[in-house]
Amino acid sequence: MLAALWPLTVGHLLAMLLVILPFALLVALVEWQRQIQIGASLLVIGFGIFLLVDRRHPRALARIRPTQLGLWSFAVAIAHGAGLMLVPIYLGLCREADLDQGHVAAGTLINANLGMAVLVSVVHATAMIAAGGCSAWLVYHYLGLKFVSRSWFNLDTSWAISLILVGAIALVFSLTD
């Protein structure tokens, strides 16, 4: 289990960077900022709707070789929209008055420069893998592997709805600005 954490971390981090780095480069296009914000909002909304409509869950991705774990983590993170939730903050779609202190700090850090965006992605991937690894360890040692096979749950619907909500809120802010 411990050997699996590193490839999972790398795959998830690469997926987030693939999504967020192009948007980091778009910040330089200040004259197109509103159009980019609206497009990004629509992209997040569209991806959320796609996840709600396309209910298939690729079972082939559930059985992979250990040597392909990093690639699997990358593919699944991209398929589930890793990094898309960071795009509205990165593009400045959220106003400081509307944010709690944690989101204000994240927005300030991300808007600082490209290096900070990469650092924020690394910290996010580290927190994600720490929480996931701890959960996996607890399930493995206290509940057993049979628990996982008998209680399979899918959070795709809540993830899709959260993408739609974040995209809609960002769109409203973009259109009212």
Side-chain angles (χ1 to χ4, degrees):
M1 182 193 76
L2 292 176
L5 296 179
W6 177 246
L8 289 171
T9 302
V10 171
H12 191 81
L13 175 62
L14 289 176
M16 286 189 315
L17 291 175
L18 180 73
V19 171
I20 202 165
L21 287 180
F23 288 102
L25 299 174
L26 289 175
V27 172
L29 301 172
V30 174
E31 66 272 3
W32 293 96
Q33 183 174 356
R34 183 169 185 201
Q35 290 84 351
I36 292 169
Q37 289 174 338
I38 292 170
S41 300
L42 293 173
L43 176 69
V44 172
I45 293 169
F47 190 67
I49 292 170
F50 172 77
L51 288 177
L52 281 178
V53 172
D54 186 20
R55 306 294 285 182
R56 295 176 296 138
H57 197 274
R59 292 287 179 193
L61 292 176
R63 294 185 179 261
I64 55 160
R65 293 189 301 268
T67 57
Q68 296 176 330
L69 200 52
L71 179 61
W72 175 86
S73 177
F74 175 80
V76 170
I78 286 292
H80 285 90
L84 283 178
M85 295 297 267
L86 300 175
V87 170
I89 294 173
Y90 192 82
L91 291 178
L93 297 175
C94 304
R95 305 287 183 258
E96 285 192 24
D98 303 320
L99 299 176
D100 60 39
Q101 292 300 335
H103 285 93
V104 170
T108 302
L109 288 174
I110 289 174
N111 288 326
N113 60 37
L114 182 60
M116 191 55 70
V118 171
L119 179 62
V120 168
S121 296
V122 168
V123 169
H124 169 80
T126 302
M128 182 277 311
I129 204 63
C134 184
S135 297
W137 184 84
L138 289 171
V139 167
Y140 181 79
H141 284 287
Y142 293 106
L143 299 175
L145 295 178
K146 293 237 184 226
F147 173 79
V148 175
S149 64
R150 290 186 182 148
S151 65
W152 177 259
F153 61 95
N154 190 342
L155 295 175
D156 285 342
T157 301
S158 61
W159 176 244
I161 290 170
S162 69
L163 284 172
I164 293 168
L165 288 174
V166 166
I169 291 168
L171 183 61
V172 167
F173 282 130
S174 295
L175 293 175
T176 58
D177 187 22

